[in-house]
Amino acid sequence: MPKQKQESYNSDITAKQIEEWTSSFDKLLASDRGRDMFMEHLLNEGNERYLEFWLRCERLSESYRKVRDEASAIFETFLEIDAPMKVDVSREAEAARLKLEQKEGEGFGVFDEAQYRAKARMEQRFYPDFCEELMRKKKAWK
């Protein structure tokens, strides 16, 4: 059974937001409100899984960046040659430095290609209809 179309986001958006979101898919995704509205649009179309996948990949990448940053901070605090709280484990410190450099270059990357493809599919298949819907709302305000 198809989901009933909802249009609960009519009143709290501005013409400027519509212009910004319809000019760039990346700007839409960067906006909390824009993403919420796009998710609602995808829910109505039965395609919310694409945005949900993309968002979860973004959260995973952010988590990885936080872990990587914390690992770097630990190294700088305890293992670097001039660390403020130097721990004397020089051989292991060099191994840790090499691992950090390797991880810095790699990134997490497990879902990068799939995430890119999901984003491209959303931009090509669902974003144009969403933009048309936003422009109709903007015209209706005049």
Side-chain angles (χ1 to χ4, degrees):
M1 183 164 115
K3 296 179 183 176
Q4 234 180 21
K5 195 163 189 157
Q6 301 171 357
E7 297 198 13
S8 61
Y9 50 80
N10 289 335
S11 61
D12 62 346
I13 59 172
T14 66
K16 182 178 179 182
Q17 287 173 311
I18 289 175
E19 289 172 19
E20 189 172 286
W21 298 338
T22 57
S23 72
S24 165
F25 189 56
D26 288 329
K27 287 180 181 179
L28 173 70
L29 292 177
S31 163
D32 290 341
R33 185 67 184 125
R35 273 194 322 274
D36 289 347
M37 290 177 58
F38 188 55
M39 178 62 86
E40 189 171 320
H41 173 79
L42 292 174
L43 280 164
N44 290 332
E45 302 296 321
N47 291 302
E48 69 280 359
R49 63 191 177 274
Y50 290 96
L51 184 55
E52 185 61 37
F53 172 73
W54 185 85
L55 290 169
R56 290 188 62 183
C57 289
E58 286 295 295
R59 285 193 295 270
L60 181 62
S61 292
E62 181 59 32
S63 295
Y64 176 77
R65 282 189 290 276
K66 287 178 182 177
V67 168
R68 186 191 63 215
D69 291 348
E70 181 62 19
S72 293
I74 290 169
F75 184 83
E76 291 168 7
T77 303
F78 298 103
L79 300 177
E80 275 192 352
I81 292 171
D82 59 349
M85 299 175 70
K86 180 77 172 146
V87 175
D88 189 21
V89 289
S90 55
R91 187 177 322 139
E92 292 79 4
E94 179 60 18
R97 185 189 63 75
L98 292 172
K99 286 180 183 177
L100 275 174
E101 286 176 1
Q102 178 185 8
K103 293 294 181 188
E104 185 71 34
E106 290 176 2
F108 185 71
V110 171
F111 300 110
D112 287 354
E113 291 84 12
Q115 182 184 17
Y116 174 81
R117 181 76 171 136
K119 181 183 176 192
R121 179 155 294 165
M122 286 187 295
E123 187 169 13
Q124 293 165 358
R125 291 180 56 195
F126 312 122
Y127 178 61
D129 288 342
F130 178 71
C131 290
E132 285 180 25
E133 186 177 314
L134 288 177
M135 295 307 287
R136 281 193 303 273
K137 290 179 188 318
K138 185 179 172 186
K139 285 180 185 175
W141 294 340
K142 293 180 179 180

